[in-house]
Amino acid sequence: MSRIPRILGLCLAPLGALLLSPSVSAQAPTPIKVSYQIAYWALPIYIATEKNWWAEAGLKPEFVVYPAGAQQIAGAASKSWDVGGTGSPPAVLGAQRYGIVTLGVTNDESTANGVMARKENAAAVRSNAAKEVKGKQILLSPNSTGEYATMACLQKWGMQRSDVSVVTLAPAQLVSAFIGGNGMLAGTWAPNFYTLNEQSGAEVVCSGKDAGVMIPGALVARGEFAQQNPDAVAKFLAVYLRAVSFEKNNKAEAMGYLRKLFQANGIKLNDGYLGQELERPIFTLDEQLKLMSRTGGKSTLDNAYEALSGYLKSVGTLTEVPDPKTYITDDYMKRVDQTPALKTFANKAN
């Protein structure tokens, strides 16, 4: 378990006495369990805690940190958490198994997932992937965004899964194996990108964005909790969005917070890699609403999740592609937008 819950907890001690914004909430703070993984998209949660914005919004969070999406989604069954952020595959699987709803987007991870090649092979793969990649060994973590981006890259190169020799490994094992000399290619994601680049010289030769797929991180809630506590969910979103607005408007300070978040959890990245993390698209309230709008039919987010679900079906994880309308809802984003105090709070840049 990560050390960050203890560190964050130190910042939250007397929340009941710190209701700084009566216009947002004049009542005692509402307890809420916030789950996440140690990743770039957890930065808004960390910033909000450092800035004490939870109390301003009328919330008293308890943080639950998971090593990966599978454990996080399983935690919903025991009501170990109420809201949070996760990857898109866990969000889809969690919707099918535990009634988890997707409320919005943490970030667009399409540039942060893809295929890496060894330094000596990278130029040749970029020049003629069909020739260089076919029949070669590629390391993958199953049911992951890295695998999803890799399959999209193979399709872009005119190939399919059967054209390569796939070795399935857990993320940490994949990194160790590749650094140890196994495989010519690795399908993975950041921050593994940076570790493999730094320790083996590997280079990204195709990202999800290069292959034309959007890979959205998911803001999620347990369906039961969301139905019973719509105001608390809206406040959670408002806090997260305020931190997003802060990130967009205070890049240098945001990098400092990202460095602290990662270092507290044993991840040490140089400023170049941290800068790459901060280049990922993140979305304000207005941008979230546009991504989720179904005014003209399916939303941008609907299409992204349908494509992802198609991949999950192709590998046998899903039996059918679910209708995004059954688990993606903009009701809570609209609640923020239609509540003047929350909307003003969410759009603050500091």
Side-chain angles (χ1 to χ4, degrees):
M1 183 63 69
S2 163
R3 291 173 290 163
I4 206 65
R6 176 181 62 81
I7 295 168
L8 295 182
L10 295 175
C11 304
L12 293 171
L15 283 181
L18 292 173
L19 294 177
L20 303 180
S21 181
S23 62
V24 175
S25 176
Q27 301 176 352
T30 301
I32 191 168
K33 297 177 182 177
V34 182
S35 73
Y36 62 97
Q37 302 159 42
I38 301 303
Y40 164 66
W41 50 260
L43 180 58
I45 294 171
Y46 183 78
I47 289 173
T49 305
E50 292 286 291
K51 298 287 189 180
N52 205 29
W53 289 337
W54 301 102
E56 287 189 46
L59 296 175
K60 184 177 181 179
E62 174 186 338
F63 299 99
V64 188
V65 184
Y66 290 91
Q71 296 93 324
Q72 183 179 13
I73 295 307
S78 58
K79 300 183 180 180
S80 297
W81 56 270
D82 303 318
V83 296
T86 192
S88 41
V92 175
L93 297 175
Q96 299 298 294
R97 297 171 184 173
Y98 306 117
I100 290 169
V101 292
T102 292
L103 314 167
V105 183
T106 58
N107 70 129
D108 180 353
E109 302 180 343
S110 60
T111 60
N113 287 266
V115 181
M116 299 195 79
R118 297 196 177 279
K119 184 177 181 180
E120 61 270 23
N121 303 117
V125 171
R126 291 192 185 98
S127 177
N128 191 342
K131 176 185 175 182
E132 297 296 326
V133 172
K134 194 168 185 177
K136 297 300 192 300
Q137 190 179 75
I138 182 167
L139 311 186
L140 290 175
S141 297
N143 297 328
S144 69
T145 50
E147 184 183 46
Y148 175 47
T150 298
M151 294 302 107
C153 287
L154 288 176
Q155 185 175 17
K156 176 191 174 188
W157 294 333
M159 289 180 284
Q160 53 190 348
R161 191 186 189 95
S162 59
D163 290 321
V164 294
S165 176
V166 173
V167 177
T168 58
L169 296 167
Q173 294 173 322
L174 182 151
V175 170
S176 297
F178 196 82
I179 291 173
N182 296 291
M184 188 184 89
L185 304 165
T188 188
W189 55 86
N192 294 342
F193 277 0
Y194 315 133
T195 302
L196 294 181
N197 176 255
E198 190 168 52
Q199 297 192 30
S200 73
E203 300 176 12
V204 177
V205 290
C206 178
S207 69
K209 183 176 181 180
D210 295 331
V213 295
M214 179 185 182
I215 304 175
L219 289 166
V220 294
R222 291 190 298 106
E224 180 185 22
F225 179 85
Q227 289 179 357
Q228 295 175 356
N229 302 274
D231 289 339
V233 173
K235 288 176 181 179
F236 161 71
L237 291 176
V239 171
Y240 192 92
L241 293 170
R242 179 173 179 178
V244 166
S245 183
F246 173 86
E247 280 187 54
K248 284 176 171 279
N249 289 278
N250 301 273
K251 293 288 188 181
E253 194 172 354
M255 181 180 286
Y257 282 126
L258 183 60
R259 184 184 297 109
K260 287 173 63 179
L261 170 63
F262 279 171
Q263 286 182 347
N265 290 275
I267 302 171
K268 296 183 179 181
L269 300 180
N270 63 40
D271 284 357
Y273 294 144
L274 290 173
Q276 289 182 48
E277 290 284 270
L278 289 167
E279 288 174 4
R280 296 196 212 174
I282 53 178
F283 306 98
T284 61
L285 176 59
D286 285 346
E287 291 167 337
Q288 296 272 359
L289 291 168
K290 288 178 182 176
L291 285 171
M292 302 180 78
S293 174
R294 296 182 173 122
T295 302
K298 292 180 182 179
S299 71
T300 299
L301 203 56
D302 289 341
N303 289 327
Y305 271 91
E306 279 197 333
L308 173 67
S309 297
Y311 148 71
L312 292 172
K313 181 183 177 183
S314 73
V315 296
T317 304
L318 292 175
T319 56
E320 297 293 338
V321 174
D323 182 350
K325 289 182 181 179
T326 64
Y327 64 95
I328 299 175
T329 175
D330 62 358
D331 288 350
Y332 301 93
M333 282 292 175
K334 286 180 176 177
R335 197 178 190 90
V336 176
D337 189 54
Q338 294 166 4
T339 305
L342 283 182
K343 183 174 183 177
T344 298
F345 184 90
N347 288 327
K348 285 185 177 180
N350 51 50

